[in-house]
Amino acid sequence: MGKLIVGNWKMNGSIKLVDEFILKINKQAILALPSIFISYVHFKNPELRIAAQDCSIFDGFGAHTGEISAQMLADAGCKYVIIGHSERRKTSNSDAISNILKKLQNVVNCGMTAILCVDERYAELIDEPTSDILKNHLDKVVIAYEPISAIGTGKVSSLKDISNVLADIKNSYFGVKTLYGGSVNANNVKDILSIASVDGVLIGGASLKLEELNKICQISMCLL
Ligand code: PGA
């Protein structure tokens, strides 16, 4: 399997941009879209691998106004769901670790893969007793190390830090796939993907530029 290249559009994009990506995106990329675009993209190109940017702590269906369950995301064509992104944890009081683990359970129960984001405080997750949930689903979880200091700042973490943290995570969760995220672009991705403990990248800003995202995919394929 090649490296995982996940683009996180955050609260960006439009039908016009989506249409452009559907036609020309490199098939290796996984796109984490705002949920409003997911069904549309899946309908127009069922081959494209789609992620959601979050899901509800509630499973199935019910009286939870404004929530979107993992079940609904799976029905709409998602294969992956990002959970615990620091931007969600900043704005949503539902994102305590116990709730993130509930979301993780919902995502894997619906047959999708959870992309679990951790930041500089990643050790709290590793120490959390309920991390048994994680240990039980290692084949359906990808752990993304996204230091807050690197997100959207243009300041990628040092290669040593990335290498050490992801090796630490791999040691704690044997066999788990890992991503690095934070200011990844076409210029720095080769060095990052060359680190042994890195299985892929989570890309914010640069994933909104089709040419750059495709270039990142091409670089990653040359590393195989
Ligand atoms: P960035 O965002 O690439 O714009 O730094 C990464 C992320 O938050 O997933």
Side-chain angles (χ1 to χ4, degrees), residues 154 182-190 192 203 206 212 216 219:
S183 297
V184 176
N185 59 38
N187 294 325
N188 58 29
V189 73
K190 186 169 177 219
I192 296 168
I203 312 156
E212 183 156 13
I216 289 172
I219 293 169

Side-chain angles (χ1 to χ4, degrees), residues 6 8 10 82 85-87 117 146 150-154 181-185 202-207:
V6 187
N8 176 12
K10 310 190 178 187
I82 295 176
H85 191 285
S86 62
E87 287 159 10
C117 295
E146 295 215 311
I151 296 180
T153 58
S183 297
V184 176
N185 59 38
L202 183 52
I203 312 156
S207 73

